[in-house]
Amino acid sequence: MPIALAVACIGSIHDGDTIRLCDGERVRLVEIDAPEVAGSPRCRSAQRKRLATSRNPSWCDYALGTKSRNALQTFLTTGTVKINRRAKDRYGRTLAKLSVNGLDVGEYLIGLGLARPWR
């Protein structure tokens, strides 16, 4: 069950679909998949092979991953960030939708070609 929309303080940006809030809470954006950044465990050979036939295989375009992360960081500075928490994932991250001035962050990144819908 979704929790009410709240204003979010962004501490850091990990990649195009994962952030950390100022209080340390790790947040994974729902409904999108962004390319991985250099050093991602999902891009190690064994993981890529394991995930190759999954609904969301590893997306290991590091240059695009950096662009996605940078675009997310820039977009989050353009106004008030609101978070709509949905659930927790198996890694303990909060799954949530973010919006800035009413605009959905995931849709923004997908529109730029810097993320894709989560399948």
Side-chain angles (χ1 to χ4, degrees):
M1 176 182 286
I3 298 172
L5 221 52
V7 174
C9 173
I10 307 302
S12 63
I13 313 295
H14 175 72
D15 59 22
D17 56 25
T18 309
I19 65 168
R20 189 175 294 268
L21 300 182
C22 294
D23 65 3
E25 180 182 3
R26 294 179 310 143
V27 177
R28 170 75 168 74
L29 279 68
V30 295
E31 300 176 7
I32 71 164
D33 182 32
E36 303 300 327
V37 294
S40 170
R42 286 181 58 92
C43 294
R44 292 185 186 135
S45 181
Q47 280 289 80
R48 286 184 82 162
K49 186 175 181 178
R50 185 181 70 79
L51 296 168
T53 58
S54 73
R55 291 185 308 166
N56 286 291
S58 300
W59 187 3
C60 300
D61 182 333
Y62 299 141
L64 195 61
T66 299
K67 286 182 183 180
S68 179
R69 180 187 62 209
N70 293 346
L72 175 59
Q73 184 170 13
T74 299
F75 189 60
L76 293 176
T77 65
T78 63
T80 302
V81 179
K82 293 197 176 175
I83 183 169
N84 186 344
R85 292 172 177 86
R86 301 286 179 87
K88 293 274 187 180
D89 70 8
R90 64 183 176 184
Y91 306 108
R93 299 176 299 188
T94 298
L95 300 173
K97 278 194 157 259
L98 295 180
S99 62
V100 178
N101 298 328
L103 300 173
D104 183 88
V105 172
E107 290 175 11
Y108 172 78
L109 291 172
I110 290 169
L112 293 176
L114 298 174
R116 59 188 177 200
W118 183 262
R119 294 180 258 164

